[in-house]
Amino acid sequence: MFAKIYQPARNAMQSGRALSKQWFLEFTPEMAQRPDPLMGWTSSTDMRAQIRLSFDSQEAAVAYARRQGIPYQVMTPHAPKRYVKSYADNFATDRKQPWSH
């Protein structure tokens, strides 16, 4: 039983910062998923793969893992690149406009 502690990055379709401040603890799967012979769905008998705990800080998640005796690995979050853009930059005057002579 091994856990990873991480702060999720926002996905490409997300402009807001919801759930970006929370830290999650997830267990890594101990068994590989296999297809069900009847239906063809992938399934696993590992019940810990369904557990996802959320914490307000990295320290709280690490303290929980230590208290429960769970070996863990902390994944450092990547800081997103912030591009400061102005709406006025779309109308830069250095380009020649098609209607100007």
Side-chain angles (χ1 to χ4, degrees):
M1 176 168 72
F2 189 78
K4 67 177 183 175
I5 298 172
Y6 67 97
Q7 188 175 29
R10 64 182 183 97
N11 73 34
M13 300 299 293
Q14 188 177 18
S15 63
R17 296 173 53 115
L19 297 179
S20 65
K21 299 200 185 295
Q22 289 188 336
W23 286 80
F24 292 100
L25 182 139
E26 283 185 354
F27 294 100
T28 56
E30 293 181 3
M31 305 173 78
Q33 292 185 344
R34 60 182 191 276
D36 182 53
L38 180 62
M39 299 297 290
W41 298 336
T42 56
S43 63
S44 175
T45 58
D46 187 16
M47 298 306 256
R48 290 188 191 116
Q50 300 176 10
I51 298 174
R52 183 178 180 190
L53 303 174
S54 62
F55 297 92
D56 290 332
S57 66
Q58 176 186 352
E59 293 80 20
V62 169
Y64 175 81
R66 286 185 180 161
R67 203 170 43 244
Q68 299 297 324
I70 301 169
Y72 64 92
Q73 179 181 9
V74 177
M75 307 290 189
T76 57
H78 298 283
K81 293 181 183 177
R82 306 287 288 171
Y83 298 106
V84 179
K85 295 182 181 180
S86 173
Y87 180 70
D89 291 341
N90 293 331
F91 307 102
T93 58
D94 59 342
R95 286 185 265 151
K96 185 173 182 176
Q97 302 295 335
W99 58 82
S100 64
H101 297 283

